[in-house]
Amino acid sequence: MRVVMFGYQTWGHRTLKALLDSEHDVVMVVTHPKSEHAYEKIWSDSVAELAEEHGVPVVIRNRPDDEELFQRLKDADPDIIVANNWRTWIPPRIYTLPRHGTLNVHDSLLPKYAGFSPLIWALINGEPEVGVTAHMMDEVLDAGDIVDQRAVAVGPTDTATDLFHKTVDLIAPVTIGALDAIASGRTEFTKQDRSQATFFHKRAEDDIRINWDWPAEVLERLVRAQSAPYPAAFTFHKGKRLEVLAAVVSEGRYGGTPGRVFYREGEGVVIVAGADARTGRNHGLAITRVRTEDGHELAATDYFTAMGGYLTNRP
């Protein structure tokens, strides 16, 4: 099939590579300009450069809503558009233009985790698995019929970085599997159960700040979700920002005021956290590694020696 690809960053790059390695013909690529947003500078392999290396025409747009792009798409005469990590709304006259419409590849197990940063949100929320879904685009974001979907388990110590690498390896089989199904003549695919749908927004500074009223189990997942190269989860100690780079749920149960620097346990320093509303259990978060406001990274036991006090949600 003749394919136009809409994509950005490493997800789009991996999708384009899969298409170039397949029997399908990539006739044009549409991608975003480089961004200075913290999350968009992560996993930022260039879709444009890969396309140019293979002689594929490239169009750079923030939004695909102008007449020039529409005419270029018509001239390209695609059988299908494949979109992955396209960051803005694609209007109906674009996604319905090809003979087979538009296939969107999304890094979650739809209908759950539509929207932005699904791997991070899924890890924070304690999901047992994550994955990749290829679905037909319609007027509702990430809501079209599912053509192909594959999952991987979330391990007990997996970080968001681990999950990125696990799921990015699913892009090629999911994308090409879906295209091959469409090319074979299939037109009926799996409807999404919209009663199970969840939607999450793009992550921002407030989303990575530690709230010590949360249970230790949630805070430990937040720390893993904000693994390098993502911005680290942070708190404040004596008015200064402190990044938490590694932590585990304490073995013992610790009560008291959330945020209190309380006790050394193993290789970590226990901070009192909120109780789990479901179980009533109250464990601490045993922080093992931190980074200070001036960029020094060190063991939490070294940092908190003789420091004491409280960790706070705000300065």
Side-chain angles (χ1 to χ4, degrees), residues 6 28 30 59 61 64 66-73:
F6 280 60
M28 191 167 80
V30 186
V59 178
R61 289 290 191 278
D66 59 274
E67 290 301 322
E68 179 189 356
L69 174 59
F70 182 66
Q71 188 58 52
R72 291 190 65 171
L73 287 168

Side-chain angles (χ1 to χ4, degrees), residues 1 23-24 80 100 176-186 189:
M1 289 195 294
E23 63 182 20
H24 303 289
I80 196 165
H100 295 289
I176 304 307
L179 285 181
D180 289 348
I182 294 166
S184 74
R186 279 185 58 195
F189 303 109

Side-chain angles (χ1 to χ4, degrees), residues 179-194:
L179 285 181
D180 289 348
I182 294 166
S184 74
R186 279 185 58 195
T187 57
E188 296 295 324
F189 303 109
T190 304
K191 298 287 184 186
Q192 291 193 39
D193 180 355
R194 302 306 297 160

Side-chain angles (χ1 to χ4, degrees), residues 42-292:
I42 300 169
W43 316 121
S44 56
D45 296 288
S46 174
V47 171
E49 290 177 7
L50 180 60
E52 289 164 355
E53 288 171 9
H54 288 80
V56 178
V58 176
V59 178
I60 308 253
R61 289 290 191 278
N62 275 315
R63 297 181 180 279
D65 54 5
D66 59 274
E67 290 301 322
E68 179 189 356
L69 174 59
F70 182 66
Q71 188 58 52
R72 291 190 65 171
L73 287 168
K74 288 180 68 176
D75 293 343
D77 191 30
D79 294 304
I80 196 165
I81 291 172
V82 174
N84 191 345
N85 201 34
W86 183 261
R87 314 298 277 177
T88 57
W89 181 64
I90 298 177
R93 71 168 183 164
I94 298 290
Y95 71 71
T96 61
L97 177 65
R99 282 175 281 280
H100 295 289
T102 294
L103 181 77
N104 186 53
V105 182
H106 182 69
D107 50 334
S108 84
L109 296 173
L110 293 174
K112 294 183 177 180
Y113 296 94
F116 296 89
S117 304
L119 294 178
I120 294 177
W121 288 113
L123 179 52
I124 291 170
N125 292 336
E127 298 291 350
E129 59 182 9
V130 293
V132 174
T133 302
H135 69 95
M136 301 309 301
M137 186 175 288
D138 63 17
E139 67 276 6
V140 180
L141 180 65
D142 294 334
D145 292 357
I146 294 171
V147 185
D148 200 334
Q149 183 179 78
R150 308 189 190 198
V152 291
V154 177
T157 62
D158 276 345
T159 66
T161 307
D162 296 327
L163 298 182
F164 169 85
H165 289 298
K166 286 183 178 182
T167 53
V168 81
D169 287 341
L170 298 178
I171 289 175
V174 168
T175 303
I176 304 307
L179 285 181
D180 289 348
I182 294 166
S184 74
R186 279 185 58 195
T187 57
E188 296 295 324
F189 303 109
T190 304
K191 298 287 184 186
Q192 291 193 39
D193 180 355
R194 302 306 297 160
S195 70
Q196 299 299 310
T198 57
F199 183 89
F200 288 82
H201 59 72
K202 186 181 294 186
R203 292 183 67 75
E205 183 85 349
D206 281 350
D207 298 307
I208 64 175
R209 185 177 63 242
I210 291 172
N211 182 337
W212 291 104
D213 291 325
W214 292 355
E217 291 84 354
V218 177
L219 295 180
E220 185 269 343
R221 293 197 299 267
L222 173 64
V223 171
R224 284 193 283 129
Q226 296 299 148
S227 58
Y230 298 104
F234 70 95
T235 184
F236 294 94
H237 185 242
K238 299 190 174 181
K240 294 186 177 181
R241 181 176 173 131
L242 182 69
E243 294 182 342
V244 178
L245 305 181
V248 296
V249 176
S250 69
E251 294 180 4
R253 294 176 62 179
Y254 301 89
T257 306
R260 176 70 181 267
V261 181
F262 189 62
Y263 187 77
R264 179 167 177 168
E265 182 182 281
E267 297 181 356
V269 175
V270 174
I271 315 299
V272 177
D276 189 320
R278 295 170 299 176
T279 65
R281 292 180 299 175
N282 189 327
H283 286 273
L285 185 71
I287 297 175
T288 58
R289 196 147 193 88
V290 298
R291 183 162 51 227
T292 60

